[in-house]
Amino acid sequence: MKAYAFGVDIGGTAIKLGLFDLGGRLCDKRELPTPKDDGGAHILPAVAATVTGVMKAAGIAPAAVAGIGMGVPGPVGAQNVVDHCVNLGWGVVDLGAEMRRLLPDIETVCAGNDANLAALGELWQGAGRGCSSAVMLTLGTGIGGGVVIGGKILPGAHGGAGEVGHLAVEIHEAVPCSCGKRGCLEQYASASGIVNLAKNMLAGSAAPSRLRQMPAFTAREICALARDGDGLARAIVSRCGRYLGLGLSYLSCAVDPEIFILGGGMSRAGDILLDPVRQSFRENAFHVSVSTPIVCAKLSNDAGIYGGARLVLGP
Amino acid sequence: MKAYAFGVDIGGTAIKLGLFDLGGRLCDKRELPTPKDDGGAHILPAVAATVTGVMKAAGIAPAAVAGIGMGVPGPVGAQNVVDHCVNLGWGVVDLGAEMRRLLPDIETVCAGNDANLAALGELWQGAGRGCSSAVMLTLGTGIGGGVVIGGKILPGAHGGAGEVGHLAVEIHEAVPCSCGKRGCLEQYASASGIVNLAKNMLAGSAAPSRLRQMPAFTAREICALARDGDGLARAIVSRCGRYLGLGLSYLSCAVDPEIFILGGGMSRAGDILLDPVRQSFRENAFHVSVSTPIVCAKLSNDAGIYGGARLVLGP
């Protein structure tokens, strides 16, 4: 009788692992630094050892575990084969086969892209609870995205569904994005993007701002100054929000989800960012979808482990 | 034993009706003018009479018919209830109940938006045959769109999935679209849109063009002149194509389909339009999806009846 599922989120810095019951309750949670040496060869053994440790501590037999759902920061093919995770030092890794070798008593192992799993987790037990479709944007150093429809991740024909960070929102951009294109949403609305946007807007204006006194600043500091009433900081956050709202309008014309969920560090800026996002979305979305809620994520850094467990359990 | 399905496409001008076998062969096809008088009250009786006539002519019993799938030019709710079809004179019409009353021996009646059914038809027996996902754009007087994933139409949470004509592709547009927004794809890449684009580009340039000698012109004439080497006409078609390619890149970042299918009158322009579409898509799409084929539809005006039959038969 299956009563539990594991969700694992393998990041470039830390591995997070959660034991969930079938109702979505997080029963145990572990975190360990990602052992990236030797081309990431020790990562999956560390996951397997932690899974075994958690099962022992809770007195759970392998037969009671429905499976392990694992998120990785890179593209995952149909057969749970990971194709190059730069952040983990991995080349092509057959994650399913490898985990079956390490934990032969666990019935199911499945893998997904971390941003997709975060979306699935938020839909299951977070901000999208009760919805059957959602698009989630994770606004971190870059922008990850996940599209969930009918309770299932939409991977896309080439693994490109939900690549919302690379929506071309600014046709007049001169500087290339890390992907090689120009004018991607990620260049304005990620944590690094808003810093670059700020530098450009400071250089292109004579308006006073406390940002001018700072030799360097972070996304968090820009948002804090905007909340404090710094006019230029507010204009920067507003422009960032407008690009985001425009991007959401594109997603809406394509998949028209029940809800948009914003996660990642940038989403903690709150209404100073969300207000221009919502306004720009209302201006650019097609009328039938114009009231789609745009909300902040609820599960924070645990969204990925929730999504991993849900990937095993299914909708 | 079910051996047939009907596909019906109810347009503002004509009703098209096809009898299909389970393998997707079009066995009989009828077309009649849409009787729009009395608030469209005679439309469904005319469909029912034609269905009965086709069954009699072919010697098919109602028990051999899997059902009737019907496309209408407007939004269709989950229970086959049509909510205002301006082109048909309809208010709220419970299409399922009405057809069951008219044809009580037919087991299944289902309905969908006509642009969605065209996409489904092209995926089944047209340009997308063999694919499991596609996005289709119908470039007519306006732009309709349909997203098909896993062989099924994606309707969206508010019926807005595939509303590709209202992607906001031009942030600097001053003139409003019919939907009230500004800068929608439909304002440049529909048959009426390219005519407006041409007028603006003629007014904003002194370049010679045979268009200047014409008191009025159509989308077809603009494309013909572009093919003939008229420089300004070519620039107009190219700009239209670039907006389309940009729009496709947004759809790609959202759903990443296996194939893009362009239908409707504008798609008959051929390579003079498709070349700039493909170039702009390559420049704006995320790298994993950059090779997604962009092709012309194959079923022409029959796509809708194919899609109707497929809606009944399922993937």
Side-chain angles (χ1 to χ4, degrees), chain B:
Chain B
M1 178 70 178
K2 306 298 179 197
Y4 300 95
F6 280 97
V8 182
D9 186 0
I10 305 178
T13 312
I15 296 171
K16 285 185 279 290
L17 187 149
L19 174 72
F20 293 85
D21 67 19
L22 302 189
R25 197 173 61 90
L26 178 55
C27 308
D28 194 356
K29 183 177 147 186
R30 305 291 168 94
E31 189 163 342
L32 51 151
T34 306
K36 291 200 285 185
D37 44 318
D38 300 329
H42 309 296
I43 292 175
L44 295 181
V47 169
T50 312
V51 164
T52 306
V54 168
M55 280 170 34
K56 267 198 187 137
I60 294 170
V65 176
I68 306 176
M70 306 177 70
V72 296
V76 179
Q79 301 304 313
N80 296 320
V81 176
V82 179
D83 188 4
H84 287 86
C85 270
V86 181
N87 289 343
L88 305 180
W90 286 359
V92 174
V93 174
D94 186 338
L95 201 142
E98 199 61 23
M99 289 302 293
R100 269 191 298 278
R101 194 180 62 75
L102 290 162
L103 293 170
D105 297 336
I106 298 289
E107 202 168 286
T108 304
V109 173
C110 41
N113 170 268
D114 54 1
N116 284 338
L117 289 201
L120 192 60
E122 285 288 343
L123 193 81
W124 186 34
Q125 296 292 336
R129 205 171 161 167
C131 296
S132 75
S133 66
V135 176
M136 178 170 174
L137 278 65
T138 303
L139 310 173
T141 312
I143 295 184
V147 177
V148 183
I149 293 176
K152 294 171 90 168
I153 291 166
L154 177 70
H158 319 87
E163 279 293 353
V164 297
H166 300 284
L167 288 164
V169 292
E170 175 56 82
I171 219 75
H172 301 291
E173 179 62 59
V175 178
C177 175
S178 63
C179 77
K181 297 196 301 155
R182 282 161 214 276
C184 293
L185 182 58
E186 188 166 292
Q187 289 184 269
Y188 315 99
S190 64
S192 54
I194 195 173
V195 169
N196 287 330
L197 182 63
K199 287 177 186 164
N200 290 335
M201 287 178 72
L202 282 165
S205 142
S209 169
R210 275 188 277 161
L211 289 167
R212 296 192 189 280
Q213 278 84 61
M214 300 163 75
F217 42 76
T218 64
R220 186 192 300 241
E221 288 165 334
I222 298 167
C223 294
L225 282 176
R227 256 192 309 273
D228 257 21
D230 186 289
L232 194 57
R234 188 167 278 231
I236 293 161
V237 174
S238 172
R239 183 139 164 226
C240 163
R242 294 191 61 78
Y243 282 124
L244 264 173
L246 181 62
L248 297 187
S249 82
Y250 297 147
L251 298 166
S252 175
C253 285
V255 302
D256 183 25
E258 243 176 292
I259 192 168
F260 286 107
I261 304 171
L262 304 184
M266 281 286 292
S267 71
R268 293 188 201 115
D271 286 342
I272 195 89
L273 178 66
L274 277 173
D275 285 345
V277 171
R278 289 177 178 137
Q279 191 188 330
S280 162
F281 179 75
R282 273 195 303 273
E283 287 169 20
N284 291 297
F286 191 53
H287 61 85
V288 298
S289 313
V290 86
S291 304
T292 309
I294 301 169
V295 303
C296 284
K298 280 189 179 165
L299 300 176
S300 188
N301 293 330
D302 289 345
I305 58 174
Y306 276 89
R310 184 60 164 174
L311 188 65
V312 170
L313 298 172

Side-chain angles (χ1 to χ4, degrees), chain A residues 103-147:
Chain A
L103 292 170
D105 297 335
I106 298 290
E107 202 169 286
T108 304
V109 173
C110 40
N113 170 268
D114 53 1
N116 284 339
L117 289 201
L120 192 60
E122 285 287 342
L123 193 79
W124 186 34
Q125 296 292 335
R129 203 171 163 169
C131 297
S132 76
S133 66
V135 177
M136 178 169 176
L137 277 66
T138 302
L139 310 173
T141 313
I143 295 183
V147 177

Side-chain angles (χ1 to χ4, degrees), chain A residues 219-302:
Chain A
R220 186 192 301 242
E221 287 165 335
I222 298 167
C223 294
L225 282 176
R227 255 191 310 272
D228 258 20
D230 186 290
L232 195 58
R234 189 167 277 232
I236 292 161
V237 174
S238 173
R239 182 138 165 226
C240 163
R242 296 192 60 77
Y243 282 125
L244 264 173
L246 181 64
L248 296 188
S249 82
Y250 297 148
L251 299 166
S252 176
C253 284
V255 303
D256 182 24
E258 243 174 293
I259 192 168
F260 286 108
I261 303 171
L262 304 185
M266 281 286 291
S267 70
R268 293 189 201 116
D271 286 343
I272 194 90
L273 178 65
L274 277 172
D275 285 345
V277 171
R278 289 177 177 138
Q279 190 187 329
S280 163
F281 179 75
R282 274 194 303 272
E283 286 168 21
N284 291 296
F286 191 52
H287 61 85
V288 298
S289 313
V290 87
S291 304
T292 310
I294 302 170
V295 303
C296 283
K298 281 189 178 165
L299 301 176
S300 188
N301 293 328
D302 289 345

